[in-house]
Amino acid sequence: MLSNLRIFAVNHKKILSLHSSNMYCFRIRASLKRIKHHVPLGKNYSSLPGLIGNDIKSLHSIINPPIAKIRNIGIMAHIDAGKTTTTERILYYSGYTRSLGDVDDGDTVTDFMAQERERGITIQSAAVTFDWKGYRVNLIDTPGHVDFTLEVERCLRVLDGAVAVFDASAGVEAQTLTVWRQADKHKIPRICFLNKMDKTGASFNYAVESIKEKLKAKPLLLQLPIGEAKTFKGVVDVVSKEKLLWNPNSDDGKDFERKLLLEMSDPKLLKETTEARNALIEQVADLDDEFADLVLGEFSENFDLLPAEKLQTAIRRVTLAQTAVPVLCGSALKNKGVQPLLDAVTMYLPSPEECHHEFLQWYKGDLCALAFKVLHDKQRGPLVFMRIYSGTIKPQLAIHNINGNCTERISRLLLPFADQHVEIPSLSAGNIALTVGLKHTATGDTIVSSKSSALAAARQAGREGEKKHRQNSEAERLLLAGVEIPEPVFFCTIEPPSMAKQPDLDHALKCLQREDPSLKVRLDPDSGQTVLCGMGELHIEIIHDRIKREYGLETYLGPLQVAYRETILNSVRATDTLDRTLGDKRHLVTVELEAKPIETLSVMPVIEYAESVSEDILKGAQDAIENGIHSACLQGPLLGSPIQDVAITLHSLIIHPGTSSTMISACVSRCVQKALKKADKQVLEPLMNLEVTVPRDYLSPVLADLAQRRGNIQEIQTRQDNRVVIGFVPLAEIMKLRKHAPNNSDCKMPTVSKQNL
């Protein structure tokens, strides 16, 4: 019966992505349900950043370090892998907090939103700035939940390097694949940190193998664990052949000792380390010709004589070339392995000057920055996060926004530290700044010193052989690539408590949309209701809660609905005539067009014009025609869902003199709707690629439950004592799956299956 209802890729190659950049998963873990009812929601820092004394460092001491000493990094991982805990330890060991925060206690620095502290998860990315052994590090802690994948995407866009955190007991998980692909897209060098080595079931070898198999990466083992799970007590530095042991009596992990491995005391460990070091040298030599020449020339007979500094330099070159990834291990919760991770960040990840950006040569030192995030502060107004690629930003500086084609003035300049910020007099290239006073700047906007600066850069690019356009579009071509916003997959209506509160709700939604571009708001043309469109249940739930807490509005949400799509199966032609007289003016339009399905994925209709259509007519009416086609495809004839994978060809257009463009759009729109109604139609149903990790004893009930949900099981894998079920399930069937999952479930990427209605 199921095979009769659904058309799969095996038969028709028709499983399509809902949106080419729309990658997300649906995470179901029992641990996410641990909503705490007595969480301290106030700011609970041990000390404010910038406070001097008691060994707490000041951010003022590192405002403008040399660009070679700057590291812009992100922490990325699957949900619950330990990103925020790792960030908390990093801030503590670098001297910017006095005590260790805990996600379960709701007192971490980077999870400062009330919703984050209640749920124990990261919802929005948070930037912190600190120094480590003479290096300035701008670190962004990103969310792991699939509903907030856009947060990861827009942060990776401006970072130079990343630390991928893994749960050592699970290895590569669903969202790990997504964030890894995002890092690949932006060509970001990475370091892997195998966290939770103290967890029951932790396996260093399993995690490394999963990196090889699932991520298709070449891991460079820079460390080996000393013990696993309950016996984990330290790590071995493979490069220097030293062991790092943390004092079991130390509460904060600051007290550890580094000892050289000796044949007398650690013969077995020394043998393993020597073998691992030799394998590492051979692996790096295969990837780096300069290092291979060195090894074969001077140290071919005895690798032990190779200095650690030479090996580290080669590992850095390989990491920056993205041909391999260094792998370290530890346990952030147990305060082990974080300091060596910080050393690796400064040693192996690139500085801003080592990241090649072609556009910088055209700005010649003038200001060029990318706005990648916007927050709203009740006191300061909009706060805009910027990555400065060239030039310097100062308070009271007038800047030009290329995307918005407007000029604004920065009133204040801040150095970010989660939700506490330090005001500074200037900030130079390579840094991440927080600006106050920009009312029109949005995510993805390119900021330059002036309009003339952008046009001068455009002319410079043209002189160097770039393809020429008119000046304005050339300047826009030079701007930094923004972020692709995925199409929403859930929607529901939202209503204010009274019509008098509708303007307040509109203002709140406008501010939230500016902060979160993946949130879409539209007005239903039939009912007049406001409709929220988001990336998942949690996404919309968080938006609803923020409207209540931050804007004081008790809004009402309608039932959550899945965003279906519609398409057609055959080509049809339609003709329509609109003849209206308004006042003493006659409006007459006759349209003939064809609607046909296309094989390639296209969320928007593909518009084509037949040769018989006069260019003179198109000059004055093309915008009206395309507006009519786009508006007609917003609502399909079956469910009222948007139409996709359709091409519209205009064959004939006759316009009476004096006919308004509004009438042309109306006639074209009506003709398209007539053609769509005549065609054979289908509904596109969103499918979720599903990965369920379940104890062996619960495998049968989980398979039965997935079968009831119209799921298709593709593979069942073994992960230590657990089973991993891989398949896909209709999104509508897993909306409430988290309430029934015996363990946890991870999804990777939505696809669309065509289902006959």
Side-chain angles (χ1 to χ4, degrees):
M1 185 65 183
L2 184 65
S3 61
N4 294 330
L5 289 176
R6 312 186 69 173
I7 302 175
F8 289 111
V10 175
N11 299 324
H12 292 280
K13 298 181 181 178
K14 269 294 188 180
I15 291 187
L16 304 176
S17 160
L18 185 62
H19 191 277
S20 58
S21 66
N22 199 2
M23 298 180 185
Y24 55 96
C25 70
F26 200 92
R27 172 70 188 233
I28 302 156
R29 281 188 72 107
S31 61
L32 287 187
K33 298 179 185 176
R34 60 187 183 198
I35 306 298
K36 305 175 188 62
H37 299 287
H38 302 288
V39 178
L41 300 181
K43 304 298 178 287
N44 192 22
Y45 295 132
S46 58
S47 64
L48 289 176
L51 181 65
I52 301 174
N54 296 323
D55 296 324
I56 303 300
K57 296 182 182 178
S58 169
L59 288 173
H60 286 288
S61 63
I62 52 163
I63 289 176
N64 276 315
I67 193 168
K69 294 287 189 178
I70 297 175
R71 298 290 183 269
N72 295 311
I73 66 165
I75 304 286
M76 63 181 195
H78 186 85
I79 190 170
D80 214 24
K83 298 179 300 300
T84 301
T85 303
T86 303
T87 303
E88 193 69 22
R89 271 48 181 177
I90 286 173
L91 292 176
Y92 179 74
Y93 296 135
S94 59
Y96 285 86
T97 54
R98 184 181 285 117
S99 64
L100 292 168
D102 193 285
V103 172
D104 293 334
D105 295 336
D107 59 355
T108 58
V109 172
T110 52
D111 284 354
F112 52 82
M113 290 176 62
Q115 294 86 352
E116 293 176 316
R117 296 188 169 188
E118 286 177 353
R119 291 166 174 80
I121 61 173
T122 302
I123 292 172
Q124 68 176 16
S125 55
V128 290
T129 301
F130 62 92
D131 65 341
W132 177 257
K133 297 184 178 179
Y135 287 84
R136 146 78 78 75
V137 182
N138 297 311
L139 182 147
I140 297 182
D141 179 24
T142 64
H145 199 285
V146 61
D147 288 18
F148 312 107
T149 300
L150 180 69
E151 281 286 314
V152 185
E153 174 83 13
R154 64 180 176 180
C155 291
L156 289 178
R157 170 64 188 84
V158 299
L159 295 174
D160 303 322
V163 176
V165 180
F166 298 81
D167 183 336
S169 66
V172 175
E173 299 177 87
Q175 188 68 1
T176 315
L177 288 165
T178 302
V179 298
W180 195 270
R181 281 193 295 262
Q182 290 172 319
D184 282 339
K185 175 183 173 182
H186 297 293
K187 299 179 181 177
I188 295 176
R190 275 143 278 178
I191 287 176
C192 296
F193 179 61
L194 305 184
N195 192 27
K196 302 190 178 184
M197 283 302 303
D198 64 308
K199 185 178 177 181
T200 302
S203 172
F204 181 82
N205 291 332
Y206 171 79
V208 172
E209 284 301 315
S210 71
I211 292 173
K212 289 181 184 177
E213 293 176 10
K214 296 185 178 181
L215 301 180
K216 309 302 179 188
K218 295 179 180 178
L220 303 176
L221 305 187
L222 306 189
Q223 291 180 350
L224 297 177
I226 302 176
E228 290 181 347
K230 292 182 179 179
T231 62
F232 178 70
K233 56 182 180 180
V235 299
V236 173
D237 187 333
V238 174
V239 176
S240 63
K241 297 172 73 171
E242 295 175 322
K243 64 178 181 180
L244 284 71
L245 296 175
W246 274 259
N247 186 346
N249 299 321
S250 173
D251 293 331
D252 60 3
K254 280 188 175 181
D255 185 12
F256 70 96
E257 58 180 349
R258 183 185 288 265
K259 287 183 178 179
L260 194 65
L261 288 174
L262 300 174
E263 182 71 37
M264 299 274 298
S265 56
D266 300 292
K268 184 178 179 182
L269 194 57
L270 178 61
K271 182 181 177 182
E272 291 178 5
T273 305
T274 303
E275 291 174 354
R277 189 175 193 267
N278 292 343
L280 175 64
I281 291 172
E282 292 175 0
Q283 192 177 3
V284 175
D286 287 340
L287 299 171
D288 187 84
D289 292 339
E290 182 181 339
F291 182 69
D293 293 340
L294 176 69
V295 171
L296 294 174
E298 300 179 36
F299 306 101
S300 56
E301 295 183 2
N302 190 353
F303 286 169
D304 291 340
L305 300 177
L306 179 70
E309 294 77 14
K310 298 284 187 183
L311 180 54
Q312 289 167 345
T313 303
I315 293 171
R316 176 177 174 81
R317 286 198 300 269
V318 168
T319 305
L320 299 191
Q322 298 172 56
T323 52
V325 288
V327 176
L328 298 93
C329 61
S331 172
L333 186 63
K334 300 299 182 181
N335 312 316
K336 296 173 183 175
V338 178
Q339 297 96 326
L341 175 64
L342 275 170
D343 292 336
V345 165
T346 59
M347 190 178 300
Y348 301 123
L349 291 182
S351 67
E353 64 182 358
E354 292 173 301
C355 300
H356 177 67
H357 301 289
E358 186 180 5
F359 58 85
L360 290 183
Q361 61 181 316
W362 300 319
Y363 283 97
K364 292 185 175 179
D366 282 348
L367 175 64
C368 180
L370 177 69
F372 67 94
K373 185 177 173 67
V374 179
L375 291 177
H376 278 84
D377 186 275
K378 290 183 179 180
Q379 281 75 37
R380 300 185 179 108
L383 305 177
V384 180
F385 285 84
M386 286 187 188
R387 165 66 194 271
I388 309 171
Y389 287 97
S390 66
T392 303
I393 289 183
K394 297 179 180 180
Q396 305 305 319
L397 177 70
I399 54 93
H400 179 71
N401 183 332
I402 297 180
N403 301 69
N405 193 25
C406 61
T407 299
E408 299 186 86
R409 186 174 295 277
I410 298 172
S411 60
R412 297 170 65 192
L413 186 63
L414 308 172
L415 206 58
F417 195 91
D419 60 338
Q420 304 287 322
H421 313 297
V422 177
E423 191 161 358
I424 52 175
S426 68
L427 208 56
S428 57
N431 284 289
I432 291 175
L434 188 57
T435 60
V436 182
L438 304 181
K439 301 188 185 307
H440 305 291
T441 301
T443 296
D445 287 355
T446 299
I447 304 301
V448 296
S449 56
S450 64
K451 189 173 183 178
S452 60
S453 173
L455 297 178
R459 288 192 293 271
Q460 177 71 17
R463 282 195 294 269
E464 295 186 16
E466 294 291 328
K467 186 177 178 181
K468 294 184 178 181
H469 297 284
R470 56 192 175 89
Q471 284 187 331
N472 207 27
S473 63
E474 179 70 22
E476 289 180 1
R477 192 187 62 77
L478 287 175
L479 55 77
L480 315 186
V483 178
E484 292 183 17
I485 311 300
E487 289 292 315
V489 292
F490 282 104
F491 66 93
C492 67
T493 58
I494 182 168
E495 297 179 358
S498 66
M499 289 306 297
K501 296 290 185 180
Q502 185 66 45
D504 296 335
L505 176 60
D506 292 341
H507 171 71
L509 291 175
K510 183 179 179 181
C511 293
L512 290 172
Q513 278 188 95
R514 191 178 175 196
E515 286 189 26
D516 181 4
S518 65
L519 173 68
K520 306 289 177 67
V521 180
R522 60 181 174 85
L523 197 65
D524 188 278
D526 298 325
S527 64
Q529 291 178 298
T530 303
V531 179
L532 280 184
C533 307
M535 300 306 301
E537 293 175 275
L538 181 61
H539 186 203
I540 290 179
E541 180 187 327
I542 294 297
I543 293 297
H544 184 224
D545 192 49
R546 290 189 64 187
I547 291 173
K548 177 181 178 181
R549 294 190 194 225
E550 297 175 22
Y551 298 92
L553 292 173
E554 286 280 358
T555 54
Y556 305 101
L557 291 182
L560 202 61
Q561 301 179 58
V562 173
Y564 293 98
R565 297 271 178 173
E566 298 180 26
T567 192
I568 61 175
L569 300 176
N570 61 326
S571 299
V572 290
R573 280 203 182 206
T575 304
D576 197 14
T577 300
L578 185 147
D579 189 357
R580 297 278 173 84
T581 302
L582 298 178
D584 58 350
K585 200 170 186 180
R586 186 185 183 191
H587 302 268
L588 176 61
V589 187
T590 300
V591 177
E592 182 184 356
L593 51 78
E594 178 186 14
K596 59 184 178 183
I598 57 175
E599 293 295 324
T600 56
L601 173 67
S602 177
V603 177
M604 304 297 291
V606 177
I607 302 173
E608 301 169 345
Y609 299 96
E611 293 181 0
S612 56
V613 180
S614 169
E615 291 187 6
D616 294 334
I617 293 178
L618 285 180
K619 283 182 181 179
Q622 186 169 353
D623 289 343
I625 294 168
E626 294 181 359
N627 286 339
I629 293 173
H630 286 300
S631 63
C633 291
L634 291 176
Q635 287 188 308
L638 288 175
L639 300 179
S641 301
I643 298 288
Q644 73 172 45
D645 306 340
V646 170
I648 306 294
T649 304
L650 183 68
H651 288 281
S652 174
L653 179 64
I654 302 173
I655 304 174
H656 186 274
T659 301
S660 70
S661 59
T662 304
M663 292 297 179
I664 298 172
S665 291
C667 183
V668 171
S669 178
R670 196 167 69 179
C671 189
V672 172
Q673 289 174 342
K674 185 185 291 187
L676 295 175
K677 288 177 182 177
K678 288 169 63 179
D680 296 333
K681 300 166 282 290
Q682 278 187 337
V683 170
L684 302 179
E685 180 180 35
L687 297 180
M688 296 296 291
N689 280 350
L690 194 72
E691 183 180 300
V692 185
T693 304
V694 61
R696 182 172 50 189
D697 296 341
Y698 289 94
L699 180 61
S700 295
V702 166
L703 293 177
D705 183 72
L706 291 176
Q708 290 180 350
R709 299 174 187 275
R710 298 184 289 133
N712 186 291
I713 306 303
Q714 295 174 304
E715 187 181 0
I716 299 177
Q717 299 176 347
T718 299
R719 181 185 292 170
Q720 298 170 11
D721 295 332
N722 295 326
R723 296 293 182 267
V724 181
V725 181
I726 298 174
F728 50 87
V729 182
L731 179 59
E733 297 288 346
I734 60 172
M735 286 172 61
K736 300 300 179 185
L737 188 58
R738 76 174 75 186
K739 294 183 179 179
H740 308 291
N743 189 345
N744 66 66
S745 166
D746 310 309
C747 318
K748 288 174 286 195
M749 177 175 144
T751 55
V752 175
S753 166
K754 292 194 173 182
Q755 177 178 5
N756 292 319
L757 194 70

